[in-house]
Amino acid sequence: MAFENLKLYRQAVGDKIDVIVMSGTDFGSQRGPLLSPRMYRELWKPFHKRLNDWVHANTPWKTFYHSCGSITAFLDDFIDAGVDIINPVQCSAEGMDAQGLKDRYGDRLVFWGAGVNTQKTLPFGTPDQVRTRWRTHPHLRPRWRLRLQHHPQHSGRTPTENVLALFETVAGRALRS
């Protein structure tokens, strides 16, 4: 069914898709993987590889995989399976240091997320803490594009002032870049 859906997407929109979401399965928790890498390799990886191989052979699309949590144990396997983009980058999870991920995998994976911690700083910090976190996040330089772990209102408690501080700070960096 997944292959038939991909064929229908290609037929309907062709090359108008840049990125296609392929999986929304969370493989990580706050402190580590939710399953063993061996189990991923046996149960998910063969299917992921077949889907990604089809997309890369038949379209110019990039494949986007969502997985929260600490997923470093799977990144080499994701790359081997043909994954192009990982989202979110939950830097608050164990082993998910943004600069370390960028240094080790940045030439092979796009990390889409991690500008501001949406579990702590954005919903519970002050507007000044949101601005400071964005301005001082070293892996974001020199790019200014907005990178969030989740939607700004994900927790349901994010103050409007914090969302505005984030967007104003991002817009300010864009104007200065």
Side-chain angles (χ1 to χ4, degrees):
M1 182 179 278
F3 289 103
E4 292 305 313
N5 285 338
L6 288 170
K7 291 174 189 174
L8 289 172
Y9 295 148
R10 185 185 63 186
Q11 181 182 11
V13 297
D15 294 348
K16 293 180 181 165
I17 291 178
D18 292 319
V19 175
I20 187 161
V21 176
M22 301 291 284
S23 174
T25 303
D26 286 338
F27 291 102
S29 72
Q30 300 288 345
R31 298 179 189 249
L34 289 172
L35 62 147
S36 72
R38 180 185 60 78
M39 188 177 290
Y40 170 77
R41 288 179 197 123
E42 290 176 14
L43 299 177
W44 277 273
K45 185 177 175 179
F47 182 64
H48 285 168
K49 181 152 179 46
R50 286 180 41 220
L51 285 174
N52 291 326
D53 285 351
W54 187 93
V55 168
H56 294 132
N58 293 285
T59 75
W61 309 340
K62 299 297 181 191
T63 59
F64 176 110
Y65 281 67
H66 166 94
S67 181
C68 293
S70 177
I71 59 169
T72 54
F74 305 111
L75 293 179
D76 287 315
D77 286 309
F78 289 168
I79 291 165
D80 188 49
V83 174
D84 296 308
I85 300 165
I86 297 292
N87 171 271
V89 183
Q90 190 175 342
C91 295
S92 59
E94 191 172 303
M96 295 295 291
D97 170 68
Q99 189 64 52
L101 293 171
K102 182 179 176 182
D103 291 345
R104 183 167 178 194
Y105 300 102
D107 61 335
R108 298 177 287 158
L109 277 174
V110 171
F111 292 100
W112 188 329
V116 173
N117 185 325
T118 55
Q119 290 181 317
K120 295 180 184 175
T121 308
L122 197 59
F124 303 113
T126 66
D128 283 338
Q129 288 170 325
V130 170
R131 288 183 195 97
T132 298
R133 176 66 178 154
W134 181 264
R135 288 183 183 129
T136 61
H137 213 304
H139 78 283
L140 297 174
R141 292 186 205 119
R143 296 188 176 107
W144 59 266
R145 292 181 192 96
L146 180 60
R147 293 168 176 90
L148 293 176
Q149 287 172 215
H150 290 93
H151 301 289
Q153 297 295 337
H154 184 69
S155 73
R157 298 183 180 144
T158 303
T160 302
E161 296 79 20
N162 287 5
V163 175
L164 291 173
L166 174 66
F167 286 110
E168 289 165 0
T169 304
V170 171
R173 282 185 78 161
L175 295 174
R176 289 189 298 274
S177 295

Short mmCIF file of all heavy atoms in Angstrom, two decimals, residues 44-76:
data_model
loop_
_atom_site.label_atom_id
_atom_site.label_comp_id
_atom_site.label_asym_id
_atom_site.label_seq_id
_atom_site.Cartn_x
_atom_site.Cartn_y
_atom_site.Cartn_z
N TRP A 44 12.14 -2.72 10.96
CA TRP A 44 11.83 -1.49 10.25
C TRP A 44 12.78 -1.18 9.10
O TRP A 44 12.35 -0.74 8.05
CB TRP A 44 11.85 -0.29 11.21
CG TRP A 44 10.60 -0.08 11.98
CD1 TRP A 44 9.50 0.63 11.60
CD2 TRP A 44 10.31 -0.58 13.29
NE1 TRP A 44 8.55 0.60 12.59
CE2 TRP A 44 9.04 -0.14 13.64
CE3 TRP A 44 11.03 -1.35 14.20
CZ2 TRP A 44 8.45 -0.43 14.85
CZ3 TRP A 44 10.44 -1.65 15.41
CH2 TRP A 44 9.16 -1.20 15.73
N LYS A 45 14.05 -1.38 9.31
CA LYS A 45 15.05 -0.94 8.34
C LYS A 45 14.82 -1.50 6.93
O LYS A 45 14.91 -0.74 5.95
CB LYS A 45 16.46 -1.25 8.83
CG LYS A 45 17.53 -0.70 7.92
CD LYS A 45 18.92 -0.96 8.49
CE LYS A 45 20.00 -0.51 7.55
NZ LYS A 45 21.34 -0.76 8.13
N PRO A 46 14.54 -2.80 6.76
CA PRO A 46 14.34 -3.29 5.40
C PRO A 46 13.21 -2.57 4.66
O PRO A 46 13.34 -2.24 3.47
CB PRO A 46 14.00 -4.77 5.60
CG PRO A 46 14.62 -5.12 6.91
CD PRO A 46 14.48 -3.88 7.76
N PHE A 47 12.14 -2.27 5.37
CA PHE A 47 11.01 -1.57 4.76
C PHE A 47 11.39 -0.12 4.46
O PHE A 47 11.11 0.41 3.38
CB PHE A 47 9.79 -1.66 5.67
CG PHE A 47 8.58 -1.00 5.09
CD1 PHE A 47 7.99 -1.48 3.92
CD2 PHE A 47 8.01 0.09 5.72
CE1 PHE A 47 6.86 -0.87 3.39
CE2 PHE A 47 6.88 0.70 5.19
CZ PHE A 47 6.31 0.23 4.03
N HIS A 48 12.04 0.54 5.43
CA HIS A 48 12.48 1.92 5.21
C HIS A 48 13.39 2.00 3.99
O HIS A 48 13.26 2.91 3.16
CB HIS A 48 13.19 2.47 6.44
CG HIS A 48 12.28 2.81 7.56
ND1 HIS A 48 12.74 3.09 8.83
CD2 HIS A 48 10.93 2.92 7.64
CE1 HIS A 48 11.73 3.36 9.62
NE2 HIS A 48 10.61 3.26 8.93
N LYS A 49 14.32 1.06 3.89
CA LYS A 49 15.26 1.07 2.77
C LYS A 49 14.54 0.89 1.44
O LYS A 49 14.81 1.61 0.47
CB LYS A 49 16.33 -0.01 2.94
CG LYS A 49 17.34 -0.01 1.80
CD LYS A 49 18.67 -0.53 2.21
CE LYS A 49 19.67 -0.54 1.08
NZ LYS A 49 19.74 0.65 0.27
N ARG A 50 13.61 -0.03 1.37
CA ARG A 50 12.86 -0.25 0.13
C ARG A 50 12.08 1.00 -0.27
O ARG A 50 12.08 1.39 -1.45
CB ARG A 50 11.91 -1.44 0.28
CG ARG A 50 12.62 -2.78 0.26
CD ARG A 50 11.69 -3.98 0.40
NE ARG A 50 10.47 -3.87 -0.35
CZ ARG A 50 9.27 -4.26 0.11
NH1 ARG A 50 9.15 -4.80 1.30
NH2 ARG A 50 8.20 -4.14 -0.64
N LEU A 51 11.42 1.64 0.70
CA LEU A 51 10.66 2.86 0.39
C LEU A 51 11.58 3.98 -0.07
O LEU A 51 11.31 4.65 -1.08
CB LEU A 51 9.87 3.32 1.62
CG LEU A 51 8.63 2.52 2.00
CD1 LEU A 51 8.06 3.03 3.31
CD2 LEU A 51 7.59 2.61 0.89
N ASN A 52 12.66 4.19 0.67
CA ASN A 52 13.59 5.27 0.31
C ASN A 52 14.25 5.00 -1.04
O ASN A 52 14.43 5.93 -1.84
CB ASN A 52 14.66 5.46 1.38
CG ASN A 52 14.08 6.02 2.66
OD1 ASN A 52 13.15 6.81 2.64
ND2 ASN A 52 14.61 5.59 3.79
N ASP A 53 14.61 3.76 -1.30
CA ASP A 53 15.20 3.41 -2.59
C ASP A 53 14.23 3.73 -3.73
O ASP A 53 14.63 4.26 -4.77
CB ASP A 53 15.60 1.94 -2.64
CG ASP A 53 16.85 1.62 -1.83
OD1 ASP A 53 17.53 2.56 -1.36
OD2 ASP A 53 17.14 0.41 -1.66
N TRP A 54 12.95 3.43 -3.52
CA TRP A 54 11.97 3.74 -4.56
C TRP A 54 11.87 5.24 -4.78
O TRP A 54 11.89 5.71 -5.93
CB TRP A 54 10.58 3.17 -4.19
CG TRP A 54 9.61 3.35 -5.32
CD1 TRP A 54 9.33 2.45 -6.28
CD2 TRP A 54 8.83 4.52 -5.61
NE1 TRP A 54 8.43 2.98 -7.17
CE2 TRP A 54 8.10 4.26 -6.78
CE3 TRP A 54 8.69 5.76 -5.00
CZ2 TRP A 54 7.23 5.18 -7.35
CZ3 TRP A 54 7.84 6.70 -5.57
CH2 TRP A 54 7.11 6.40 -6.74
N VAL A 55 11.76 6.01 -3.69
CA VAL A 55 11.66 7.46 -3.81
C VAL A 55 12.88 8.02 -4.53
O VAL A 55 12.75 8.81 -5.47
CB VAL A 55 11.49 8.13 -2.42
CG1 VAL A 55 11.68 9.64 -2.50
CG2 VAL A 55 10.13 7.80 -1.83
N HIS A 56 14.08 7.61 -4.14
CA HIS A 56 15.29 8.16 -4.74
C HIS A 56 15.49 7.71 -6.18
O HIS A 56 16.08 8.44 -6.99
CB HIS A 56 16.50 7.80 -3.88
CG HIS A 56 16.46 8.46 -2.53
ND1 HIS A 56 16.69 7.77 -1.37
CD2 HIS A 56 16.20 9.73 -2.15
CE1 HIS A 56 16.58 8.58 -0.34
NE2 HIS A 56 16.27 9.78 -0.79
N ALA A 57 14.96 6.54 -6.55
CA ALA A 57 15.09 6.06 -7.92
C ALA A 57 14.05 6.68 -8.85
O ALA A 57 14.27 6.76 -10.06
CB ALA A 57 14.96 4.54 -7.95
N ASN A 58 12.93 7.14 -8.29
CA ASN A 58 11.81 7.57 -9.14
C ASN A 58 11.43 9.04 -9.02
O ASN A 58 10.55 9.50 -9.76
CB ASN A 58 10.57 6.72 -8.81
CG ASN A 58 10.77 5.29 -9.23
OD1 ASN A 58 10.72 4.97 -10.41
ND2 ASN A 58 11.03 4.42 -8.27
N THR A 59 12.03 9.75 -8.09
CA THR A 59 11.67 11.16 -7.87
C THR A 59 12.90 11.94 -7.41
O THR A 59 13.89 11.35 -6.99
CB THR A 59 10.60 11.30 -6.76
OG1 THR A 59 11.21 11.10 -5.48
CG2 THR A 59 9.44 10.33 -6.95
N PRO A 60 12.80 13.27 -7.42
CA PRO A 60 13.86 14.10 -6.81
C PRO A 60 13.58 14.41 -5.34
O PRO A 60 14.29 15.18 -4.71
CB PRO A 60 13.82 15.38 -7.66
CG PRO A 60 12.38 15.51 -8.06
CD PRO A 60 11.89 14.08 -8.23
N TRP A 61 12.54 13.83 -4.76
CA TRP A 61 12.12 14.13 -3.40
C TRP A 61 13.17 13.73 -2.38
O TRP A 61 13.92 12.78 -2.57
CB TRP A 61 10.84 13.40 -3.05
CG TRP A 61 9.71 13.54 -4.01
CD1 TRP A 61 9.53 14.49 -4.97
CD2 TRP A 61 8.59 12.66 -4.11
NE1 TRP A 61 8.37 14.27 -5.66
CE2 TRP A 61 7.76 13.16 -5.15
CE3 TRP A 61 8.20 11.53 -3.43
CZ2 TRP A 61 6.57 12.55 -5.51
CZ3 TRP A 61 7.01 10.92 -3.79
CH2 TRP A 61 6.21 11.42 -4.81
N LYS A 62 13.16 14.42 -1.26
CA LYS A 62 13.95 14.05 -0.09
C LYS A 62 13.01 13.39 0.90
O LYS A 62 11.85 13.78 1.04
CB LYS A 62 14.62 15.27 0.55
CG LYS A 62 15.58 15.98 -0.38
CD LYS A 62 16.72 15.08 -0.75
CE LYS A 62 17.70 15.79 -1.66
NZ LYS A 62 18.67 14.92 -2.24
N THR A 63 13.50 12.38 1.62
CA THR A 63 12.67 11.65 2.57
C THR A 63 12.89 12.18 3.98
O THR A 63 14.00 12.39 4.43
CB THR A 63 12.96 10.14 2.52
OG1 THR A 63 14.34 9.91 2.82
CG2 THR A 63 12.62 9.57 1.16
N PHE A 64 11.79 12.38 4.67
CA PHE A 64 11.73 13.02 5.98
C PHE A 64 11.20 12.00 6.98
O PHE A 64 10.13 11.42 6.78
CB PHE A 64 10.76 14.21 5.86
CG PHE A 64 10.45 14.98 7.11
CD1 PHE A 64 10.93 16.27 7.26
CD2 PHE A 64 9.62 14.46 8.09
CE1 PHE A 64 10.60 17.02 8.38
CE2 PHE A 64 9.29 15.19 9.21
CZ PHE A 64 9.79 16.48 9.37
N TYR A 65 11.97 11.77 8.04
CA TYR A 65 11.57 10.84 9.09
C TYR A 65 11.46 11.58 10.41
O TYR A 65 12.40 12.25 10.82
CB TYR A 65 12.58 9.70 9.22
CG TYR A 65 12.40 8.63 8.17
CD1 TYR A 65 12.64 8.91 6.83
CD2 TYR A 65 11.94 7.37 8.50
CE1 TYR A 65 12.44 7.95 5.85
CE2 TYR A 65 11.74 6.40 7.52
CZ TYR A 65 12.00 6.71 6.20
OH TYR A 65 11.79 5.76 5.24
N HIS A 66 10.33 11.44 11.05
CA HIS A 66 10.11 12.03 12.37
C HIS A 66 10.47 10.98 13.42
O HIS A 66 10.04 9.84 13.32
CB HIS A 66 8.64 12.43 12.54
CG HIS A 66 8.30 12.72 13.96
ND1 HIS A 66 8.34 14.01 14.46
CD2 HIS A 66 7.96 11.91 14.99
CE1 HIS A 66 8.01 13.95 15.74
NE2 HIS A 66 7.77 12.70 16.10
N SER A 67 11.24 11.38 14.40
CA SER A 67 11.44 10.55 15.57
C SER A 67 11.91 11.42 16.71
O SER A 67 12.97 12.02 16.64
CB SER A 67 12.46 9.44 15.34
OG SER A 67 12.57 8.66 16.53
N CYS A 68 11.12 11.47 17.75
CA CYS A 68 11.52 12.20 18.95
C CYS A 68 12.54 11.38 19.73
O CYS A 68 12.75 10.20 19.47
CB CYS A 68 10.30 12.44 19.85
SG CYS A 68 9.11 13.57 19.15
N GLY A 69 13.15 12.05 20.70
CA GLY A 69 13.97 11.37 21.68
C GLY A 69 15.41 11.13 21.27
O GLY A 69 15.91 11.68 20.30
N SER A 70 16.05 10.30 22.05
CA SER A 70 17.45 9.94 21.86
C SER A 70 17.54 8.84 20.81
O SER A 70 17.23 7.68 21.08
CB SER A 70 18.04 9.46 23.19
OG SER A 70 19.37 9.05 23.01
N ILE A 71 17.97 9.22 19.61
CA ILE A 71 17.98 8.28 18.49
C ILE A 71 19.38 8.07 17.91
O ILE A 71 19.51 7.51 16.82
CB ILE A 71 17.00 8.70 17.39
CG1 ILE A 71 17.34 10.10 16.86
CG2 ILE A 71 15.56 8.62 17.90
CD1 ILE A 71 16.58 10.47 15.61
N THR A 72 20.41 8.48 18.61
CA THR A 72 21.76 8.35 18.06
C THR A 72 22.11 6.90 17.73
O THR A 72 22.86 6.66 16.79
CB THR A 72 22.82 8.93 19.02
OG1 THR A 72 22.68 8.32 20.31
CG2 THR A 72 22.68 10.43 19.14
N ALA A 73 21.54 5.96 18.45
CA ALA A 73 21.82 4.54 18.19
C ALA A 73 21.34 4.10 16.81
O ALA A 73 21.78 3.08 16.29
CB ALA A 73 21.16 3.67 19.26
N PHE A 74 20.45 4.88 16.19
CA PHE A 74 19.87 4.50 14.91
C PHE A 74 20.38 5.31 13.72
O PHE A 74 20.08 4.98 12.58
CB PHE A 74 18.34 4.64 14.95
CG PHE A 74 17.70 3.88 16.06
CD1 PHE A 74 17.11 4.54 17.12
CD2 PHE A 74 17.69 2.50 16.05
CE1 PHE A 74 16.52 3.83 18.16
CE2 PHE A 74 17.10 1.78 17.08
CZ PHE A 74 16.52 2.45 18.14
N LEU A 75 21.12 6.37 13.96
CA LEU A 75 21.45 7.29 12.87
C LEU A 75 22.24 6.65 11.74
O LEU A 75 21.96 6.89 10.57
CB LEU A 75 22.15 8.54 13.42
CG LEU A 75 21.26 9.42 14.30
CD1 LEU A 75 22.05 10.62 14.82
CD2 LEU A 75 20.01 9.87 13.57
N ASP A 76 23.21 5.81 12.04
CA ASP A 76 23.95 5.14 10.98
C ASP A 76 23.02 4.23 10.17
O ASP A 76 23.13 4.14 8.94
CB ASP A 76 25.13 4.34 11.54
CG ASP A 76 26.26 5.24 11.99
OD1 ASP A 76 26.62 6.18 11.24
OD2 ASP A 76 26.80 5.01 13.09
#
